[in-house]
Amino acid sequence: MCIFRQGSGATFIIISGKPKPIYLGGPNSQNILFIFFPMLWADLMYAERVEEYLETILYLIMKNQGPAKTTQIAEELNVSPPSVTEMIKKLSAQGFVEYIPYKGVEFTDEGAEMALKLKRKHQVLETFLTDILNFDRRVAHREACELEHAVSDSVLEKLYEFLGKPDYCPDGNPINLDLCNIGPADPLIPLDEMEEGSCGTIVRVTLSREMKNRLNSLGVLPGEELEVKRKQKQGSISINVVGSEVALGKDVAKKIFVTPE
């Protein structure tokens, strides 16, 4: 029996009975795997495709607050509508989704649970890449998309504990969603990405309790309006809030999320 774990540019095959995994390594390892294990490679690619569809359907359901349209799925994944129709039939046969004529695609309980699990995995990996490895948010998002198909549940939970069990991901959205609180993602912008002269309202601060208390004493707390006064080359930012000017470092500003005016 073979279990595959595909990392960034490398592929491992773990064969039961062997003490160590066989490493096919390098960016061309997928070619080696395809030559020697064409059927198993196809299964691996299909599993990743299923995960991509489930994550996309979840995103659209949250955005629409209703069923995901097949045309939307096709647009998000950059595939043809017939390809979407074919995959939805497969997902339906697997018990993950239901297609409602003239409305769109909805999750079964099993499908929703799996999609939320995948989303959480992506968010935890994104948080690790940005907070610990200092990746840019956009790069971290792309890398998390690759890694989420390979990281096991046990490794993910260790990462989550290592991070201090954060409540929010680098985009300011809650990590631990469940079936009862699926809603549209807030249109938030990290403070460090706002332009000079722009204004907005603070919605969320994802810092430690101690740092939140310090900011609260300066008037930097959810519900308050702010204006970006200056941005320095080194990344610090000065804002006007409750009538006072407050200077913040980039590491703090990127954890303050604002709804722009």
Side-chain angles (χ1 to χ4, degrees):
M1 176 181 178
C2 297
I3 305 173
F4 299 97
R5 295 288 184 267
Q6 184 186 23
S8 181
T11 300
F12 294 85
I13 306 178
I14 303 172
I15 304 178
S16 60
K18 296 286 184 180
K20 294 182 180 180
I22 297 173
Y23 173 56
L24 297 181
N28 295 321
S29 59
Q30 60 184 26
N31 298 331
I32 299 172
L33 182 57
F34 180 75
I35 292 170
F36 291 100
F37 304 95
M39 293 300 293
L40 294 172
W41 179 250
D43 289 343
L44 176 63
M45 291 297 96
Y46 175 73
E48 288 191 6
R49 198 61 174 159
V50 166
E51 292 180 353
E52 289 173 358
Y53 266 82
L54 292 177
E55 287 184 279
T56 300
I57 293 168
L58 176 61
Y59 163 73
L60 291 171
I61 287 175
M62 293 172 67
K63 177 182 177 181
N64 298 343
Q65 283 297 279
K69 307 292 185 184
T70 54
T71 52
Q72 291 178 308
I73 299 171
E75 183 176 346
E76 287 292 329
L77 293 174
N78 194 28
V79 297
S80 67
S83 296
V84 172
T85 300
E86 181 181 354
M87 179 57 86
I88 294 303
K89 289 179 180 177
K90 292 179 180 179
L91 294 176
S92 179
Q94 290 178 270
F96 294 141
V97 302
E98 293 179 355
Y99 176 71
I100 305 171
Y102 308 110
K103 289 187 177 181
V105 181
E106 288 188 339
F107 280 127
T108 61
D109 288 346
E110 183 181 358
E113 182 179 350
M114 179 173 286
L116 288 168
K117 183 177 177 181
L118 290 168
K119 182 176 177 63
R120 179 176 180 273
K121 182 178 286 190
H122 181 101
Q123 291 174 309
V124 171
L125 289 169
E126 238 181 14
T127 304
F128 176 76
L129 291 168
T130 55
D131 290 5
I132 306 301
L133 301 185
N134 295 317
F135 274 83
D136 174 82
R137 274 187 290 269
R138 294 171 182 81
V139 176
H141 174 74
R142 293 197 300 270
E143 292 296 326
C145 286
E146 296 293 328
L147 292 170
E148 66 192 29
H149 304 295
V151 174
S152 68
D153 292 344
S154 58
V155 169
L156 187 83
E157 292 312 314
K158 288 293 185 182
L159 280 176
Y160 187 59
E161 291 176 12
F162 175 76
L163 291 167
K165 299 184 178 181
D167 293 322
Y168 299 99
C169 73
D171 295 323
N173 294 314
I175 287 177
N176 296 306
L177 288 171
D178 59 38
L179 294 176
C180 298
N181 61 10
I182 293 179
D186 296 323
L188 306 180
I189 295 178
L191 179 55
D192 67 311
E193 293 184 6
M194 293 185 70
E195 301 293 334
E196 287 187 1
S198 60
C199 300
T201 301
I202 301 171
V203 175
R204 190 170 292 145
V205 179
T206 61
L207 290 160
S208 67
R209 181 172 299 176
E210 180 182 1
M211 182 57 71
K212 284 181 181 179
N213 289 337
R214 290 182 187 176
L215 292 175
N216 287 351
S217 68
L218 298 171
V220 182
L221 69 164
E224 293 293 346
E225 296 182 354
L226 62 78
E227 178 187 3
V228 177
K229 296 296 291 183
R230 286 181 300 278
K231 297 186 73 174
Q232 307 295 335
K233 291 182 179 179
Q234 67 270 28
S236 61
I237 183 171
S238 294
I239 62 172
N240 267 353
V241 60
V242 294
S244 300
E245 185 167 326
V246 178
L248 302 169
K250 182 177 177 66
D251 287 345
V252 172
K254 71 180 184 181
K255 298 285 190 175
I256 298 172
F257 294 88
V258 178
T259 299
E261 289 186 354

